Amino acid sequence: MAKTTRAKRASPPPPYIDRGEPLPRSNAENRIVALVRSPEQIYLYWDVETEVRVAGNPVVVRVHDLTASRAYDLDPPADADNWYLLVAPNRTCRFELFERRGGLLRRLAASGEVTTPIRWAGESGEYVPAEIIQAVRYPISRQAAAAARRARATPGGHPAEVAANPARRAPRAAGAPGAAKAPPPDRPAGPPPTPIPVPWEKVFAAAYAGGQ
Amino acid sequence: MSDAHLAIVLHAHLPFIHHPEHEAFLEEEWFFEAVTETYVPILLAWKRLSDEGVPFRVTMTLTPTLLEMFVNPLLRRRCGQYLNRRIELAQAEARHRGRSTGERAVALHYLERFRRVRDFLFRTWDGNLVPAFKEIQDAGNLEVLASAATHGFLPLMLTPNAVRAQVEIGVETVTRHLGRRPKGFWLPECAYRPGMDRALAEAGIRYFLVDAHGILNAFPTSPHGVHAPVVCPSGVAAFGRDLESSKQVWSSEEGYPGDGAYREFYRDLGYDATYDYIEPYLHDDGVRRNLGLKYYRVTGRVGLHEKQLYDRAAAVRKAVEHGGHFVFCRQHQLRFLKSKLSVPPIVVAPYDAELFGHWWYEGPEFLEEVFRASQCVRDDYVVSTLSEYLDQHPAEPVSTPSSSSWGEKGYFEVWLNGANDWIYRHLHKAEERMAELAGRAAGKKKPAAAVRAALQQAARELLLAQSSDWAFLMTTGGGAPYAEKRTRNHVHSFTRLYEMIRSGNVDRKYVERLYAMNPVFPELDCRAFL
């Protein structure tokens, strides 16, 4: 009887989901790449050669803010290989990757220049929610969408949610997939910055004034 | 006739999904649904307009992946099977004793609709919609835009070679299918980064579209706002999206599709019917899903169980009414703009084509009415394609649009966040490797046939991995496992091909197998990656 109860309680194994062929975490080369994400955020990712990785020396990311003519260093956590950097709109930046050896820095790689755009002073809510686009273009089952929403609502369930709320980030074991995505200390602690609420009619009015 | 313009721009796109290794594949149904509910109903609406002699003008993207799916024999056959299954279900519904008279009327509507779609698709066009669109293009009513080869998200690519290849292969594919070199280009997701227009200029493109803030934040600022194109330093013109007309259609709060008379998208027979009855019509896994037979209308802000029965005639009347309202609004908007702007204004209204018919069931009738009613207000504006506008009015001033996209929040957040940022290091590496392979092949006089085939396939794998759809689906979460699988598998295949080509040891069968899985861009020229 007890055996039956145990059998009933045992949860079924999670269904196998094919997420494709595994890809290497590193290409064993020194590089740093910067991508503009929004007027306030630049995404950085980097990779190091095997000998640097094996040596276990920390890396330093040097930010050259060319617009403000200043530079500063970021000290990412040891297992991080990417970073969402908060910047101001309309800035041009360049990045360098260093290896810290004792008190010395050895330059490993440099990124190209990237420029953040101007923040749009439009009204919020102009954009079609991604859920609607999904239903329009990629109609999947509602159950799957609901499951995805539930996963997003669970702390640590969805990486996007985690990124926006570092405080709610579930701890990850070292070596687990995504372990290297440590929370960058300068990520926004609250919700992402909201657009400045200037009604676009005013923007137009100003624009058309020039056409008269 | 007036010198103010309205341009309706439709963007039809689906990622290339083709799985010959399975009897049936769920994600392939995205294509069948879009054909049944959007592409054919839109073509039928245009045919009615042509028959009436209404000189409508529409600008439309048919993305290269969508064109390749239209001509694919397997997908054409499976689309026929899909339609047959829907017709069987509609017949069963029309005969179902448990249905009320009103429900049977709706079922008969679906039966008639599915049969008409099947006749149009297979009797008239042999399952291939490319000549159907071409006919309308050749009649002068449709201008087809090019787009990136696989709808790659261009601003997040690392090398200019990768952007150029997406643009060139996209333009070539559209030219091959439509028999005419496109003049305009739809940037995937309207995503633009300053300087990208150079790749468009090199491909002979005259104009592209960006979202409103791309133009409003352009430098230097245009005095015409979004209602006249600017010209980039490369000489390519950029049109901006008009927000007012966009909101009227897209907005879930105040947009037309939310009207109570229209068909409710979320209440579907796939969920309403008893399981035993509906099971034969479900996918192999037996999970309830939308089957395209929806008996209810939006009704109002009520729960799904409180929805009322759909009345097709009333819904079409409402679509006609809304079409008239849309035209009335454009008439007044353009009158106002004409009084304020020093150049002839244009309202550019771009929409996802799949919005019409698939999401908003009565959308094709709405569009039809917009074109028809616009004929009555020719003193206020004319409906034009974008290149017709450019032919008459040169774009000015010289200005560089700002980085932007039409995705949520307006920039690149949807395609670059914690759910999908891992893909970029792999895609960038593959971009560089592809440029290296193309460079090595160009240095040789004539590479062996096997190497050439492997090189072409490597290019295909990279392009397919770059589809913006995968990053998008990873963000929304719904189709994430499939999107991750596609990205990983294409990058993996690319890397294997790269290693084969470098070692000079090409496995021909492997290359052939990969091409059979994703038969796109048969005449791909790898020099595009140089």
Side-chain angles (χ1 to χ4, degrees), chain A residues 31 37 84 134 138 152 208, chain B residues 223 227 416 421 432 469 476:
Chain A
R31 83 177 320 183
R37 178 173 191 259
Y84 286 87
Q134 163 129 22
Y138 323 98
R152 277 210 293 276
Y208 297 141
Chain B
H227 295 119
L416 178 60
D421 54 18
E432 290 170 340
D469 309 86
T476 55

Side-chain angles (χ1 to χ4, degrees), chain A residues 17-27 29 31-47 53 80-82 84 114-149 152 158-161 163 172 181 187 192-193 195 200-201 203-212, chain B residues 11 13-15 30 33 151 155-158 189 211-213 216-217 222-227 241 243-244 247 250 252 265-267 271 287-290 304 336-337 339-342 352 354-355 358-359 402-403 405-414 416-419 421-422 424-426 428-429 432-433 468-469 472-482 484-485 487-489 491-492:
Chain A
I17 299 175
D18 181 6
R19 286 176 192 265
E21 302 278 353
L23 297 177
R25 278 211 60 81
S26 164
N27 285 307
E29 59 177 356
R31 83 177 320 183
I32 179 163
V33 172
L35 297 172
V36 171
R37 178 173 191 259
S38 70
E40 295 87 10
Q41 279 193 328
I42 292 174
Y43 172 70
L44 299 167
Y45 74 81
W46 57 88
D47 194 5
R53 187 175 298 279
D81 63 0
N82 68 98
Y84 286 87
V114 290
T115 304
T116 52
I118 307 170
R119 164 57 71 188
W120 179 37
E123 63 181 43
S124 58
E126 285 291 352
Y127 292 99
V128 184
E131 274 84 352
I132 293 188
I133 304 243
Q134 163 129 22
V136 168
R137 206 187 282 165
Y138 323 98
I140 48 140
S141 82
R142 285 189 303 168
Q143 286 155 335
R149 273 199 297 279
R152 277 210 293 276
H158 191 281
E161 185 75 9
R172 280 199 184 109
K181 287 182 181 178
R187 264 180 185 158
W200 64 268
E201 286 84 351
V203 179
F204 278 145
Y208 297 141
Q212 279 182 305
Chain B
H11 172 55
H13 163 68
L14 282 174
W30 300 348
E33 284 180 11
H151 215 255
L156 294 178
M157 289 181 187
L158 185 66
E189 318 295 359
D211 203 340
H213 54 300
L216 295 175
N217 280 344
S222 164
H224 317 307
V226 293
H227 295 119
R241 171 160 78 137
L243 290 171
E244 197 179 318
K247 208 168 168 182
W250 267 121
S252 53
F265 179 82
Y266 287 112
R267 185 86 191 264
Y271 295 90
V287 175
R288 283 183 184 267
R289 288 193 182 85
N290 286 348
L304 278 180
F336 170 75
L337 290 170
S339 73
K340 296 286 177 193
L341 262 64
S342 58
D352 258 347
E354 294 79 10
L355 171 77
H358 175 65
W359 171 257
S402 156
S403 286
S405 86
W406 78 343
E408 213 166 342
K409 295 184 188 166
Y411 296 91
F412 310 148
E413 292 96 331
V414 175
L416 178 60
N417 56 59
D421 54 18
W422 60 271
Y424 292 101
R425 62 178 67 228
H426 300 293
H428 292 168
K429 188 70 200 161
E432 290 170 340
R433 286 177 165 167
S468 71
D469 309 86
F472 180 89
L473 288 169
M474 287 175 210
T475 301
T476 55
Y482 180 72
E484 288 177 22
K485 179 176 145 177
T487 307
R488 288 203 178 93
N489 286 356
V491 171
H492 178 84

Side-chain angles (χ1 to χ4, degrees), chain B residues 132-144:
Chain B
F133 281 106
K134 193 168 181 296
E135 187 184 67
I136 294 172
Q137 172 197 260
D138 295 345
N141 293 321
L142 169 69
E143 176 176 0
V144 178

